[in-house]
């Protein structure tokens, strides 16, 4: 009995530790991500804002706010770059880039940064299951440090870096800003994704993937939970083995004394 329990627990641990267990996406579920990198100041010839777009982790566009030029990438980019949705997306990227730069300049002024210039990374994402919108979020990093997260579905801000607590309170009280972020990530993003999803079935199996350079704070926290669960199961296994061993030892002693 103990052997069966131990074997089962080991199989559970192995399943939990498989990368696909945590990140597997059900059939019919798609995601759209827009990654903005905005600089408060840039050198001559250097863009102050760049955007990379991906659908289901497959890169399909690059955008330069300085020149207002958008470059289609891969099969999906080529398929949708002549559509009305592509034009709408280009216009929204320009507006979002400008809005994020104003936000960054406000942060720079508020914190009175005497040295260097700040960089703001903003990642907007939305998810659809079939045609139903199931999630939207914004993740903000300042100078590469994860700082704030907005769960758009519940309009809840989460402070990741304690130094960003003041920024969170200011953005939280800015109803115009939060409504704009909500509208773009829930309305526009899901609309674009619905339009793009019609082309996804036509995409070849081999496509360029957006490199994953860093786990999001949510993913890191989930990973820690998985590690904790796995550690707990390992402890349970040792406890079961220990009691099983003690039981066998006791039985052997009784058998030995009985024979005497």
């Amino acid at each position: 009995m103990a052997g069966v329990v131990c074997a089962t627990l080991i199989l559970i641990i192995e399943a939990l530790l498989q990368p696909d267990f945590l990140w597997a996406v059900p059939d019919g579920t798609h995601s759209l991500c827009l990654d903005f990198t905005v600089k408060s100041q840039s050198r001559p010839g250097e863009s102050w804002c760049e955007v990379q777009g991906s659908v289901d982790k497959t890169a399909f566009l690059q955008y330069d706010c300085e020149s207002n030029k958008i470059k289609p990438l891969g099969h999906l980019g080529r398929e949708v770059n002549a559509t009305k949705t592509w034009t709408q997306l280009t216009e929204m990227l320009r507006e979002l880039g400008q809005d994020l730069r104003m936000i960054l300049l406000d942060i720079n002024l508020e914190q009175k940064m005497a040295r260097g210039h700040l960089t703001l990374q903003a990642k907007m994402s939305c998810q659809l299951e079939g045609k139903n919108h199931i999630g939207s979020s914004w993740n903000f990093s300042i100078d590469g440090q994860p700082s704030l997260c907005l769960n758009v579905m519940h309009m809840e801000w989460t402070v990741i870096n304690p130094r960003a607590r003041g920024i969170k309170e200011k953005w939280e009280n800015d109803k115009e800003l939060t409504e704009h972020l909500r509208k773009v990530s829930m309305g526009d993003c899901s609309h674009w994704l619905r339009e793009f999803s019609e082309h996804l079935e036509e995409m070849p199996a081999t496509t360029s993937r957006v490199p994953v350079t860093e786990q999001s704070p949510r993913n890191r926290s989930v990973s820690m939970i998985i590690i904790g669960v796995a550690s707990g199961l390992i402890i349970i296994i040792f406890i079961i083995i220990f009691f099983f061993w003690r039981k066998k030892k006791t039985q052997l002693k009784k058998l030995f004394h009985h024979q005497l």
Side-chain angles (χ1 to χ4, degrees), residues 152-166:
V152 181
M153 300 296 287
H154 301 94
M155 293 308 292
E156 293 177 350
W157 287 94
T158 301
V159 176
I160 302 168
N161 187 340
R163 297 179 60 185
R165 196 174 302 278

Side-chain angles (χ1 to χ4, degrees), residues 247-258:
K247 183 178 179 181
K248 284 292 185 182
K249 184 178 180 182
T250 303
Q251 290 176 346
L252 289 173
K253 283 184 177 180
K254 288 181 178 179
L255 179 62
F256 178 73
H257 287 299
H258 180 71

Side-chain angles (χ1 to χ4, degrees), residues 135-149:
S136 289
S137 64
W138 282 88
N139 288 277
F140 297 92
S141 297
I142 300 175
D143 277 354
Q145 298 296 318
S147 301
L148 294 168
C149 177

Side-chain angles (χ1 to χ4, degrees), residues 8 36 103 137 206 234:
T8 303
F36 292 80
I103 291 173
S137 64
T206 56
I234 291 173

Side-chain angles (χ1 to χ4, degrees), residues 108-126:
N108 197 25
L109 181 64
E110 182 178 336
Q111 296 190 354
K112 298 178 181 179
M113 300 296 293
R115 54 182 180 79
H117 302 289
L118 292 178
T119 300
L120 176 67
Q121 292 89 24
K123 180 174 184 176
M124 181 195 72
S125 62
C126 62

